[in-house]
Amino acid sequence: MAANFWTSSHYKQLLDQEEVDVVHPLDKEKGITLAEFKLLKMHMANYIWKLATHVKVRQRVVATAVTYMRRVYTRKSLSEYDPRHVAPTCLYLAAKAEESTVQARLLVFYVKKMPTDEKFRFEIKDVLEMEMKILEAINYYLVVFHPYRSLSQLLQDAALNDISMTQLTWGLVNDTYRMDLILVHPPHLIALACIYIASVLRDKDTTSWFEELRVDMNVVKNISIEILDFYENHRINMEERLNVAMAKLGSTIHNLEILQLTPTSY
Amino acid sequence: MAIAAPGQLNLHESPSWGSRSVDCFEKLEQIGEGTYGQVYMAREIKTGEIVALKKIRMDNEREGFPITAIREIKILKKLHHENVIKLKEIVTSPGPEKDEQGRPGKYLLRMRNGNKYKGGIYMVFEYMDHDLTGLADRPGMRFSVPQIKCYMRQLLTGLHYCHVNQVLHRDIKGSNLLIDNEGNLKLADFGLARSFSNDHNANLTNRVITLWYRPPELLLGTTKYGPAVDMWSVGCIFAELLHGKPIFPGKDEPEQLNKIFELCGAPDEVNWPGVSKIPWYNNLKPTRPMKRRLREVFRHFDRHALELLERMLTLDPSQRISAKDALDAEYFWTDPLPCDPKSLPKYESSHEFQTKKKRQQQRQHEETAKRQKLQHPQQHGRLPPIQQSGQAHAQMRPGPNQPPMHGSQAPVAAGPSHHYGKPRGPSGGPGRYPPSGNPGGGYTHQNRGGQGGGSGYSSGPYPPQGRGAPYGSSGMPGAAPRGGGGSGYGVGAPNYPQNGPYGGSNAGRGSNMMGGNRNQQYGWQQ
């Protein structure tokens, strides 16, 4: 992990759940509920993930991009910051910040290849314009610490670093970006929660290992519960609820392709 | 947050989100100019605090916000250390495009007109009075041994911190080492810096680090490297401080490499296992055998200094000393010990941008003088440290409140080149130099002309008042040896006479001391 998380802007910028779970007044006016707000952000995360597979950037870039997007919407409204522009531009900016630059022209090319409605225009100037707005919205805090690095270290430490556990936990960590966890919790605790869930699923006894870690297991359990709740919630009527939320936003994002959520870990 | 009336600027409250407007600052003067953008000294209106504003140039950017600025911001936001320059905030300009709700209004329209953020984005840094090159280049300036140790230790401490945090600076050189009047040294300009992982597996560009400070592995084209590249630059600076002038002033890459080989010997599989596999080794390897002459050339250096320098200027990066080990070197733990930064003398600050203008004036003046045959040319090399340190040091350290030793004398103005946004060589972009051509030439000549080799700027050292008489005749103690030393240095021979003209010039630096008067340091309204 580059630099020290505890002295980083990321650590100082950690928010309380209550601060993250605020629907911007402008979005509220349109009738967006908190649940819908979360759903829309999740949908954007999925979109970024999908776009990234075309653009071919490292997973770390995607994770950073999703984090930027979530940081933006702790301060800005969906109504003003068009998700169709924010999502790809976050990927553009994250690619720069993570030293895997993607040319704006290429990004636009791939955005156009994604399923979209015909009226949607997205050109290079839109990327550059939105980039400045995003930088300002996140107050130039570009550093993000991710759970991945602690995950591999922790798995090794727990002697759980076999392929099956690695894949399962890695997928769980990926899925945490569909939630706001990265804004609220230190990354190593997110990693621990994923290990915790995975060890329960795979029937591994990690009790003594967790005890020796001297971390607040209540926090780890809370994160785990949140992750499990998330999977539970999004099994039912996902698409339908997403459509409702999008309709409320007007035309803003209805053209984003609706992705069927398939939790990678189940 | 107090809301300003429409059309008025809200100067006194920070917005709760986003960045403040540059209008929160009053620009005092430009102190730097580079391809990166201009640098201004400015005062925060609300607090009166003096800061440096570095403008991020946005025009000419096809890829939006420059990645160099992203790197610098990202890195500076994660580094917090007393020997690393502090990025205070980022401000945008100008404010009026936003309506009172802070919603982008005309702002966007303006951007749509292709004028995006033309007003600019500024990085706000703490203000520093000098940079090391500028300070060292002041006419007559001589650092004492404890002073050099003090700067070197701070440099290594800051760099060690960067390396521990997996940041390579990649542009360590005198003009990027800022010094304030408390004697603190801070690493600045992280525009070329980047994070690295310890495995050295990532391919990094070898077109970094100003030519004179670039290590042999980069010159040979390696793309896998680590913190050792910065340590080579530190070695160059260390030698420069002791020697009195840059030790490897190459004009282009091949010449640079040759200068290195001449001093450090030719690399081979014995002293540098694996060197023959570096991309350009076969094209650039020396044609004749060369012995390492470092100890011989710098035999007059203090034993511990030479020992440390040997380990910094080691060809093989894997054997080169790390910042951490360098801090443990005998050099820093034997008498004379590094001094307390606060005990260092305070100097009048000056900035390259102004200095250049002044130099031009001086050149004109000199032309006139020449025509009148009133003046004989004089060159000022940078002076090596005072060797008999113990005694000299006591004299070199006036208390912070001690009045200037030559209060009546005008400040010497041909001083520091400033730093925050110094020119980045002839071309813009992330790479320092154009792929071909003469890397460093334009830049270094601009900045360093008049020092050392003393190309066209023999007028450099003169004070702006245009006193006709050279220092030698000013009747100050120590003035004559200084003049003599200057000419002795202009020759550029690698070997500098140990007991040359400096023997008795303990008081040689008095004329530059400005005392501790803040107003004088910030003498911007000249």
Side-chain angles (χ1 to χ4, degrees):
Chain A
M1 191 177 291
N4 180 354
F5 171 75
W6 302 105
T7 61
S8 68
S9 51
H10 183 163
Y11 175 60
K12 286 171 199 147
Q13 299 255 303
L14 284 183
L15 300 164
D16 290 337
Q17 191 68 49
E18 299 79 59
E19 295 174 89
V20 176
D21 289 344
V22 177
V23 181
H24 194 281
L26 287 171
D27 296 337
K28 230 181 226 167
E29 275 174 28
K30 297 193 173 173
I32 301 282
T33 64
L34 177 59
E36 285 166 336
F37 180 44
K38 288 183 165 185
L39 199 63
L40 288 164
K41 286 192 284 185
M42 183 201 75
H43 184 62
M44 286 179 72
N46 293 343
Y47 175 87
I48 292 173
W49 221 275
K50 183 123 193 270
L51 178 61
T53 58
H54 294 292
V55 183
K56 293 190 178 59
V57 287
R58 293 177 299 148
Q59 196 151 35
R60 193 189 161 79
V61 178
V62 190
T64 299
V66 173
T67 310
Y68 289 168
M69 178 272 288
R70 294 189 179 278
R71 285 181 182 176
V72 167
Y73 288 117
T74 59
R75 292 180 165 133
K76 307 292 185 186
S77 65
L78 291 157
S79 317
E80 282 178 308
Y81 282 67
D82 187 339
R84 291 177 301 181
H85 290 182
V86 171
T89 309
C90 281
L91 192 64
Y92 177 69
L93 182 59
K96 270 190 202 173
E98 300 287 355
E99 300 287 350
S100 327
T101 314
V102 173
Q103 286 178 11
R105 148 186 94 70
L106 268 180
L107 186 88
V108 169
F109 173 79
Y110 285 115
V111 167
K112 286 179 175 166
K113 283 185 97 178
M114 298 277 283
T116 179
D117 81 22
E118 279 163 19
K119 281 183 214 146
F120 178 52
R121 290 274 170 270
F122 186 68
E123 305 298 338
I124 291 175
K125 73 168 176 47
D126 300 311
V127 181
L128 305 187
E129 217 175 279
M130 185 49 83
E131 182 188 33
M132 294 309 306
K133 291 176 72 181
I134 290 173
L135 275 166
E136 203 169 347
I138 63 177
N139 200 14
Y140 300 88
Y141 280 104
L142 297 161
V143 179
V144 185
F145 289 79
H146 296 293
Y148 297 106
R149 183 156 320 195
S150 0
L151 180 70
S152 28
Q153 286 165 353
L154 289 166
L155 281 176
Q156 200 170 0
D157 187 64
L160 291 172
N161 51 340
D162 56 277
I163 291 174
S164 144
M165 273 298 277
T166 306
Q167 279 181 350
L168 176 55
T169 48
W170 197 275
L172 283 163
V173 169
N174 284 351
D175 284 347
T176 63
Y177 286 90
R178 300 170 197 240
M179 294 160 264
D180 285 309
L181 290 171
I182 193 74
L183 301 185
V184 181
H185 299 288
H188 73 281
L189 293 182
I190 299 175
L192 279 177
C194 293
I195 295 176
Y196 181 73
I197 294 172
S199 58
V200 172
L201 282 172
R202 291 283 147 89
D203 225 4
K204 307 255 183 190
D205 184 17
T206 47
T207 323
S208 59
W209 180 74
F210 271 106
E211 273 168 7
E212 277 170 32
L213 279 178
R214 286 195 294 177
V215 292
D216 189 345
M217 274 313 282
N218 283 328
V219 181
V220 174
K221 277 179 188 159
N222 285 340
I223 299 173
S224 311
I225 290 168
E226 204 174 322
I227 296 171
L228 293 172
D229 281 352
F230 170 81
Y231 286 132
E232 198 55 45
N233 273 328
H234 291 96
R235 281 187 187 186
I236 335 146
N237 294 334
M238 244 283 299
E239 204 167 323
E240 200 176 303
R241 285 186 294 148
L242 194 58
N243 278 329
V244 172
M246 285 180 172
K248 285 183 184 171
L249 268 184
S251 62
T252 317
I253 58 171
H254 76 271
N255 60 317
L256 284 183
E257 187 206 15
I258 295 171
L259 296 168
Q260 190 59 49
L261 178 75
T262 44
T264 47
S265 46
Y266 270 106
Chain B
M1 170 175 161
I3 305 281
Q8 267 190 335
L9 293 178
N10 188 352
L11 298 178
H12 303 291
E13 291 291 322
S14 332
S16 49
W17 49 263
S19 35
R20 296 200 293 171
S21 160
V22 73
D23 296 316
C24 298
F25 298 89
E26 175 193 0
K27 283 181 193 167
L28 298 171
E29 67 167 331
Q30 189 172 349
I31 55 176
E33 165 88 68
T35 49
Y36 202 111
Q38 295 103 351
V39 187
Y40 301 89
M41 181 203 254
R43 179 173 25 221
E44 186 177 358
I45 291 166
K46 193 173 157 193
T47 60
E49 191 183 355
I50 301 293
V51 298
L53 292 179
K54 177 169 167 178
K55 185 169 182 172
I56 298 171
R57 225 148 69 180
M58 289 294 296
D59 44 352
N60 261 344
E61 283 294 341
R62 267 200 222 156
E63 288 295 334
F65 199 77
I67 190 161
T68 48
I70 290 204
R71 286 193 184 126
E72 186 162 12
I73 291 168
K74 213 182 127 190
I75 284 167
L76 285 170
K77 283 217 177 199
K78 79 179 178 190
L79 299 180
H80 306 278
H81 190 270
E82 55 188 348
N83 298 119
V84 174
I85 193 80
K86 188 173 155 203
L87 174 64
K88 297 165 76 73
E89 64 177 303
I90 290 157
V91 295
T92 47
S93 93
E97 283 87 357
K98 292 185 181 178
D99 64 25
E100 74 260 36
Q101 269 113 28
R103 264 191 300 231
K106 288 179 223 155
Y107 195 62
L108 273 186
L109 279 177
R110 214 170 63 123
M111 295 196 334
R112 292 225 168 86
N113 292 337
N115 217 358
K116 62 178 164 68
Y117 286 81
K118 202 93 183 198
I121 295 159
Y122 295 83
M123 295 161 80
V124 185
F125 291 99
E126 56 186 326
Y127 178 74
M128 301 287 282
D129 308 87
H130 319 278
D131 61 75
L132 188 62
T133 303
L135 208 53
D137 281 348
R138 293 170 81 96
M141 168 61 78
R142 306 175 70 182
F143 295 135
S144 68
V145 171
Q147 186 172 15
I148 290 178
K149 289 193 179 184
C150 172
Y151 290 151
M152 284 302 297
R153 192 167 66 175
Q154 295 187 69
L155 165 56
L156 287 165
T157 308
L159 197 57
H160 173 59
Y161 174 81
C162 292
H163 291 168
V164 165
N165 286 297
Q166 293 177 310
V167 170
L168 302 177
H169 185 284
R170 303 201 302 182
D171 199 15
I172 295 287
K173 60 174 171 180
S175 56
N176 285 339
L177 306 176
L178 307 187
I179 294 171
D180 66 14
N181 266 337
E182 307 299 316
N184 297 311
L185 181 148
K186 297 182 195 228
L187 304 184
D189 202 336
F190 284 72
L192 284 179
R194 63 165 291 172
S195 303
F196 67 98
S197 52
N198 279 323
D199 45 24
H200 293 198
N201 273 335
N203 283 321
L204 308 173
T205 173
N206 49 46
R207 307 201 70 81
V208 287
I209 307 187
T210 303
L211 191 60
W212 294 0
Y213 304 90
R214 203 181 297 169
E217 65 269 29
L218 293 185
L219 291 161
L220 289 171
T222 191
T223 54
K224 295 185 198 303
Y225 54 84
V229 296
D230 288 334
M231 289 308 295
W232 178 273
S233 312
V234 172
C236 296
I237 286 167
F238 185 34
E240 190 170 330
L241 286 171
L242 296 167
H243 183 52
K245 61 177 184 178
I247 56 163
F248 300 130
K251 281 199 300 287
D252 49 32
E253 277 101 337
E255 191 192 285
Q256 187 66 32
L257 213 43
N258 205 45
K259 282 189 188 300
I260 291 172
F261 294 160
E262 275 171 12
L263 187 72
C264 301
D268 53 41
E269 280 294 328
V270 177
N271 61 20
W272 184 349
V275 67
S276 57
K277 296 197 179 62
I278 299 181
W280 306 331
Y281 173 77
N282 282 324
N283 302 332
L284 294 170
K285 68 182 172 199
T287 45
R288 58 190 168 87
M290 288 189 235
K291 272 201 348 228
R292 190 168 173 92
R293 294 173 56 233
L294 191 87
R295 280 185 180 273
E296 181 194 330
V297 172
F298 298 130
R299 60 182 176 276
H300 54 283
F301 286 3
D302 162 87
R303 183 167 59 92
H304 294 304
L306 189 55
E307 223 165 71
L308 179 56
L309 185 62
E310 270 276 14
R311 302 201 51 202
M312 288 173 170
L313 295 181
T314 299
L315 288 174
D316 181 355
S318 69
Q319 295 174 54
R320 206 172 293 150
I321 195 168
S322 68
K324 183 173 182 289
D325 290 345
L327 284 165
D328 285 335
E330 277 300 301
Y331 179 71
F332 294 108
W333 303 95
T334 45
D335 251 2
L337 292 171
C339 62
D340 177 4
K342 289 189 176 48
S343 73
L344 289 169
K346 298 177 190 304
Y347 309 98
E348 182 213 16
S349 76
S350 55
H351 304 279
E352 187 215 0
F353 190 71
Q354 292 174 300
T355 312
K356 261 196 221 156
K357 275 195 214 155
K358 282 177 184 159
R359 276 207 193 119
Q360 275 173 3
Q361 288 166 5
Q362 284 156 21
R363 241 179 303 171
Q364 283 169 2
H365 172 81
E366 195 204 323
E367 288 296 307
T368 322
K370 255 187 196 161
R371 261 178 265 130
Q372 296 169 352
K373 297 195 174 171
L374 283 176
Q375 220 172 347
H376 61 270
Q378 186 186 9
Q379 284 183 333
H380 252 291
R382 206 187 286 160
L383 303 184
I386 302 130
Q387 296 294 317
Q388 60 284 61
S389 44
Q391 188 201 358
H393 181 224
Q395 297 194 14
M396 281 308 106
R397 294 194 310 178
N401 295 320
Q402 186 174 329
M405 285 166 78
H406 297 271
S408 61
Q409 196 184 353
V412 178
S417 54
H418 233 281
H419 37 294
Y420 293 99
K422 80 290 160 239
R424 286 198 161 272
S427 77
R432 175 158 298 270
Y433 302 113
S436 63
N438 183 2
Y443 165 67
T444 44
H445 275 269
Q446 259 182 329
N447 252 8
R448 315 276 296 237
Q451 327 296 341
S455 50
Y457 294 124
S458 51
S459 64
Y462 285 96
Q465 295 80 3
R467 289 183 305 156
Y471 293 122
S473 62
S474 67
M476 291 163 358
R482 202 170 57 217
S487 49
Y489 260 84
V491 187
N495 227 338
Y496 113 85
Q498 181 182 3
N499 294 315
Y502 309 105
S505 62
N506 285 344
R509 212 169 48 177
S511 60
N512 293 319
M513 290 173 186
M514 291 308 298
N517 187 331
R518 296 297 282 185
N519 290 332
Q520 259 175 314
Q521 293 159 27
Y522 296 141
W524 54 77
Q525 272 144 2
Q526 289 171 3

